[in-house]
Amino acid sequence: MTVAGDFPPPHSGPACRVEWAHRVVAEPWLGAGPEAVAVDSAARRAYVACSRDNAVVAVDLDRWVPVWRAGVGREPIPVVLDLPRRRLFTADARSDTVTVLDADNADRVAQITVGQDAYPAGLGHDPARRRVFCGNTAAGTITAIDADRLEVIGVIPAEIGAGSIAVDEQRGRGYCANFMAGSLTVFDTETLRPLRRIAVGEGPCKTVANPTAGHLYVAGSLHSTVLRLSLATGRPLDDMRVERAPVGMCVSPDGGRLYVCNRGAGTVSALDAASGAETHRITVGHGPGDCHIDAATGRLLVSNAGSGTLTVVDRPWLPGPVRPQTHPAVGRRIPHFALPDARTGQERTTREWAEKKYVINFFASW
């Protein structure tokens, strides 16, 4: 007997206790602002981009301890692993670079400039055609890099807010999510020609392809939905509701399930790829940024930007207990601070609102 999902359950028997629920088995602390994670199941390593530490951390997948930490450019947001060359690529948003590391020993292989004031914030990978694509948010362009020679081989026009890039290797198509423009730029990964524009609504934050199901998914962080499109036609199929502010996603190895990181809720939504229905939610750390499946064990790895941790979930395809989310700051006295009034320039302090209820709005520039 098997369970529909991305990994079979353990065999049952007289001497074997089977747990029919997901379970958090580890949550190591990695550093400040872990935003993305890549996995090498064969080498038993995970690689996490810590955006606020300007570093990539390699984690042992069996012991759940850091193996090495390597400095990259400023504010690395995504990370991709090129297995043929065993190289890691990060897009360093505040350095306008793509840093290339040796995945085994953390040596810096190259640092490639992708523009000036470009704010590169997304990466796509076409291993068959030996290309890495970088979405430049401020420039509204996509930089194409040769994955072997580590050279820029072209720049593809996109739109403002260009970031996350999904690649359909079978059709040779790339899909770049343009956050501010509310669109996808579709391009040919061989010729580097832009092919079409697909309107997807406000705030597309992440896009991933599911070639098994023939779907493309676009996370709409502003409306807490995931748009499902056909890879064959590019036609939007439906909107799938998730929890607050989805920003990261991954597809199970068998294509049967989509996991969505809800940054505003500290959860991951598990969606059935066929029906689009949310089957359950998994409580993780604060501000989950992205996720990946370890194909060898079926475990889900979630990078938590707000907690500085990596949540490891066993049997993520199964429902389980919902852990209460309690932030460490809850119940503590607010620290004193002063800020200039945006209208008058007069300094305002927290003492003015002592013992009163008020709302502070922190706006993220990205």
Side-chain angles (χ1 to χ4, degrees), residues 224-255:
S224 300
T225 58
V226 175
L227 176 63
R228 182 165 53 170
L229 303 94
S230 166
L231 278 175
T233 66
R235 183 172 61 88
L237 301 175
D238 54 14
D239 273 316
M240 303 178 288
R241 295 292 307 180
V242 291
E243 220 172 349
R244 296 189 301 277
V247 299
M249 297 183 291
C250 72
V251 176
S252 63
D254 70 351

Side-chain angles (χ1 to χ4, degrees), residues 8-362:
H11 294 292
S12 60
C16 178
R17 177 174 175 265
V18 180
E19 294 182 68
W20 296 101
H22 70 255
R23 183 170 63 95
V24 172
V25 294
E27 206 155 36
W29 187 85
L30 300 182
E35 286 287 359
V37 56
V39 174
D40 184 348
S41 295
R44 307 307 299 141
R45 292 280 170 88
Y47 304 95
V48 183
C50 292
S51 62
R52 302 304 176 191
D53 278 346
N54 304 327
V56 171
V57 179
V59 181
D60 186 293
L61 281 178
D62 298 313
R63 296 182 296 127
W64 304 112
V65 295
V67 177
W68 53 253
R69 178 182 299 266
V72 290
R74 294 171 57 210
E75 198 176 347
I77 297 175
V79 59
V80 298
L81 171 63
D82 179 49
L83 276 174
R85 289 277 191 169
R86 301 204 50 74
R87 288 170 175 169
L88 296 163
F89 293 76
T90 65
D92 313 316
R94 295 195 181 277
S95 295
D96 294 328
T97 57
V98 169
T99 298
V100 187
L101 300 174
D102 186 297
D104 294 319
N105 58 29
D107 287 348
R108 181 178 295 188
V109 180
Q111 195 162 52
I112 304 162
T113 301
V114 295
Q116 186 174 4
D117 300 322
Y119 200 86
L123 289 177
H125 185 213
D126 189 341
R129 294 169 183 82
R130 309 303 302 133
R131 284 169 184 186
V132 172
F133 301 98
C134 179
N136 305 310
T137 300
T141 59
I142 303 161
T143 301
I145 298 170
D146 186 292
D148 296 313
R149 302 198 310 270
L150 304 181
E151 298 173 351
V152 173
I153 56 175
V155 177
I156 305 163
E159 294 189 281
I160 193 71
S164 172
I165 299 171
V167 173
D168 178 5
E169 292 184 58
Q170 181 181 347
R171 296 174 178 84
R173 297 289 183 264
Y175 298 84
C176 178
N178 305 307
F179 184 84
M180 273 78 90
S183 67
L184 294 178
T185 295
V186 188
F187 61 95
D188 189 303
T189 59
E190 180 66 41
T191 66
L192 308 183
R193 290 188 303 109
L195 300 175
R196 62 182 295 198
R197 177 188 191 272
I198 302 175
V200 294
E202 293 179 303
C205 197
K206 174 80 174 183
T207 179
V208 298
N210 183 348
T212 303
H215 295 152
L216 180 78
Y217 306 108
V218 182
S221 61
L222 301 183
H223 297 289
S224 300
T225 58
V226 175
L227 176 63
R228 182 165 53 170
L229 303 94
S230 166
L231 278 175
T233 66
R235 183 172 61 88
L237 301 175
D238 54 14
D239 273 316
M240 303 178 288
R241 295 292 307 180
V242 291
E243 220 172 349
R244 296 189 301 277
V247 299
M249 297 183 291
C250 72
V251 176
S252 63
D254 70 351
R257 210 169 280 277
L258 175 70
Y259 296 99
V260 183
C261 296
N262 303 308
R263 195 181 192 97
T267 62
V268 172
S269 291
L271 305 181
D272 182 278
S275 68
E278 182 185 73
T279 59
H280 59 279
R281 294 173 185 169
I282 303 168
T283 304
V284 291
H286 301 294
D290 213 350
C291 56
H292 206 292
I293 292 285
D294 174 9
T297 63
R299 287 173 170 170
L300 177 71
L301 281 63
V302 184
S303 50
N304 303 303
S307 300
T309 59
L310 181 71
T311 300
V312 184
V313 184
D314 198 22
R315 301 180 298 275
W317 59 90
L318 295 173
V322 178
R323 296 186 297 164
Q325 277 273 311
T326 305
H327 195 277
V330 173
R332 294 174 56 190
R333 191 178 294 272
I334 189 171
H336 173 71
F337 63 88
L339 291 170
D341 189 296
R343 289 174 295 181
T344 67
Q346 178 185 355
E347 187 177 83
R348 311 296 296 271
T349 77
T350 49
R351 291 194 181 97
E352 298 179 52
W353 295 284
E355 306 302 325
K356 298 177 182 178
K357 294 180 179 179
Y358 53 95
V359 176
I360 302 175
N361 179 28
F362 292 95

